[in-house]
Amino acid sequence: MAEILVRHRGARPCRVSLGEGALGDLPQLWSSEWKDAAIIGDRNVTGLFAEQIANLLKPMVNRLLVLDFKPGEKNKTRQTKEKLEDAMLEGGLTRETCVVALGGGISLDLAGLVAATFMRGIPYVSIPTTLLAQVDASIGGKTAVNTPHGKNLVGAFHQPDAVLIDPGMLDTLPAGEWPNGLAEAVKHAVVGDRSLFDWMESNRISLRSPAGASAWFLERCVRIKAGVVADDEREQGRRAILNFGHTIAHAVESASAWKVTHGRAVALGMFLEAGIARRATGFPEADFVRLSGIMNDLGLISPREFGHQDFDRILPHFKSDKKRRDDRIRMSLPVEIGQMAPGEGTYTMPVDPGLIRKVWNENLRQPC
Ligand SMILES: NC(=O)c1ccc[n+]([C@@H]2O[C@H](COP(=O)([O-])OP(=O)(O)OC[C@H]3O[C@@H](n4cnc5c(N)ncnc54)[C@H](O)[C@@H]3O)[C@@H](O)[C@H]2O)c1
Ligand SMILES: [Zn+2]
């Protein structure tokens, strides 16, 4: 079992346990101050795992609620949060409660935000069950919901007390969800670890299926994210590098009314933002070829899903990007694989909408 400490401003670092059977650590890490528990996740994951988790917790808590909501990005909203909070209040939960955030990134973002504001903030433990959540969303304490104005616009930084990453929980993950996690892993490699990129490139065939993603690979991804978060918990500088691909991704997700999944939108966003970086930062042509090659081989990009005409639909959705300053769209762009442009300490740079349109049109053919 690997143990990784995510250091941040809080008094205690967050402990990440990673390995087959990590879920079984839950009773050992449970604090005697946590008298009640609320297990929160979408209906798919509570159906699969809530009973097992409840059995681990029952001997240690007075009250235990299992609260679920309908799966899907369109339900990561303030309305769902309110329903969960009302159920917690009706169930008599107090500030001595610990939330168990269970599921993919959507469940963790939502349950984490409930924990951030319930009784002005209670502890939570994260149990990620998708590849995306295990390599990315469970680490770093960003919690949020979407609004009709855009993605993740209402949220809080709230660090979990502990994270349990159990690769065995991925066994039931639908095959279509796998590439979503690979997209964030490619992002980690591009923003901070060229040797991980080399490794992923050499193992691109085996990585296409869950059997290829070893605990070693998961740990490497978690360590990259933990390192970036420790430097800059509240994203005042370097943490912005984790937004590579995300300026375009968030606009695409929002414009599609949440039909395009986050991972697929990030893959498209990285492909296009790397195209922008070729002009804006001198991102080498050879690195662009490698990046588009690996995304193709991992089944992350299918440019035919989008066409020229879609850009006009997407452009207005850049308006609500959180990185925007002085009314300009900003992106985190690589200078080469493994290194991001410092952008005078902001790790972002302004990008002209005309350039985004040009790169979009050059790279995305009309749909067949
Ligand atoms: N907070 C962060 O730092 C951060 C980082 C990256 C992404 N995110 C957010 O994460 C979200 C995407 O997360 P996601 O891709 O994990 O999607 P998700 O949470 O919707 O999970 C994908 C689907 O798989 C199902 N599922 C999850 N685990 C399962 C399992 N083990 N077996 C069977 N089914 C399972 C879910 O019910 C869902 O239908 C986005 O909203 C994104 O903004 C947050
Ligand atoms: Zn992401």
Side-chain angles (χ1 to χ4, degrees), residues 42 44-45 48-49 71 73 76 104-107 109 129-130 132-133 136-137 139 142 151-152 169 172-174 177 184 225 262:
D42 74 31
N44 296 334
V45 291
L48 285 163
F49 305 112
E73 191 78 48
K76 196 178 104 175
I106 288 171
S107 298
D109 279 6
T129 65
T130 61
L132 182 141
D136 196 338
I139 311 295
K142 271 192 184 179
K151 173 96 179 163
N152 291 342
M169 296 178 91
T172 49
L173 191 66
E177 295 297 336
E184 299 280 20
K225 179 137 188 209
H262 181 68

Side-chain angles (χ1 to χ4, degrees), residues 32-363:
S32 57
E33 289 166 20
W34 304 340
K35 309 272 191 268
D36 299 324
I39 301 173
I40 302 180
D42 74 31
R43 251 161 237 170
N44 296 334
V45 291
T46 52
L48 285 163
F49 305 112
E51 192 182 335
Q52 188 186 354
I53 295 171
N55 287 337
L56 291 170
L57 292 181
K58 269 179 199 152
M60 283 174 301
V61 295
N62 300 329
R63 263 171 299 212
L64 188 147
L65 297 184
V66 177
L67 303 173
D68 62 15
F69 59 91
K70 273 199 205 147
E73 191 78 48
K74 69 175 189 303
N75 301 309
K76 196 178 104 175
T77 59
R78 283 169 286 181
Q79 290 75 16
T80 308
K81 176 175 180 271
E82 184 180 332
K83 281 188 199 153
L84 294 166
E85 290 159 346
D86 285 347
M88 289 168 75
L89 294 168
E90 276 153 29
L93 296 186
T94 65
R95 56 165 40 141
E96 293 186 306
T97 305
C98 178
V99 166
V100 178
L102 169 71
I106 288 171
S107 298
L108 302 191
D109 279 6
L110 196 44
L113 184 57
V114 168
T117 58
F118 189 77
M119 304 279 166
R120 297 207 179 91
I122 57 174
Y124 76 112
V125 172
S126 259
I127 305 184
T129 65
T130 61
L131 178 62
L132 182 141
Q134 295 200 342
V135 298
D136 196 338
S138 59
I139 311 295
K142 271 192 184 179
T143 72
V145 287
N146 305 322
T147 79
H149 296 276
K151 173 96 179 163
N152 291 342
L153 293 183
V154 174
F157 290 98
H158 187 49
Q159 295 290 344
D161 275 58
V163 182
L164 296 175
I165 301 180
D166 189 336
M169 296 178 91
L170 301 176
D171 290 349
T172 49
L173 191 66
E177 295 297 336
W178 193 252
N180 290 327
L182 291 178
E184 299 280 20
V186 169
K187 178 196 75 181
H188 288 342
V190 172
V191 306
D193 192 341
R194 195 176 176 97
S195 62
L196 175 61
F197 190 92
D198 296 342
W199 182 89
M200 289 183 74
E201 212 173 33
S202 313
N203 291 277
R204 61 195 184 281
I205 306 301
S206 59
L207 274 175
R208 287 182 77 133
S209 77
S214 56
W216 174 88
F217 168 66
L218 297 178
E219 184 181 338
R220 186 95 175 233
C221 290
V222 169
R223 284 193 188 279
I224 294 170
K225 179 137 188 209
V228 175
V229 170
D231 282 353
D232 176 24
E233 186 197 4
R234 302 226 154 199
E235 200 168 310
Q236 279 148 350
R238 191 165 173 262
R239 185 167 178 170
I241 64 176
L242 297 168
N243 289 305
F244 170 49
H246 282 60
T247 306
I248 290 178
H250 286 169
V252 165
E253 287 180 83
S254 177
S256 78
W258 318 116
K259 285 192 193 74
V260 178
T261 60
H262 181 68
R264 293 198 75 81
V266 168
L268 178 73
M270 289 193 294
F271 174 58
L272 294 171
E273 291 185 18
I276 289 166
R278 271 153 97 190
R279 292 177 167 92
T281 70
F283 186 64
E285 182 63 23
D287 279 8
F288 181 74
V289 170
R290 286 180 72 190
L291 179 59
S292 24
I294 195 173
M295 292 209 289
N296 212 17
D297 292 344
L298 292 174
L300 299 182
I301 283 281
S302 114
R304 289 205 180 128
E305 283 173 15
F306 301 90
H308 285 87
Q309 75 279 21
D310 292 327
F311 191 72
D312 287 326
R313 219 160 37 83
I314 284 157
L315 185 60
H317 293 266
F318 286 106
K319 212 174 58 205
S320 53
D321 188 77
K322 294 195 288 309
K323 293 184 295 308
R324 224 177 147 94
R325 286 194 201 177
D326 302 330
D327 219 22
R328 302 195 68 188
I329 300 168
R330 299 183 77 90
M331 293 182 181
S332 280
L333 298 175
V335 284
E336 63 177 28
I337 290 172
Q339 202 194 321
M340 297 297 281
E344 291 163 355
T346 67
Y347 290 87
T348 64
M349 56 179 63
V351 179
D352 188 64
L355 177 57
I356 311 176
R357 182 189 294 278
K358 189 170 161 51
V359 171
W360 182 284
N361 287 343
E362 275 171 11
N363 289 283

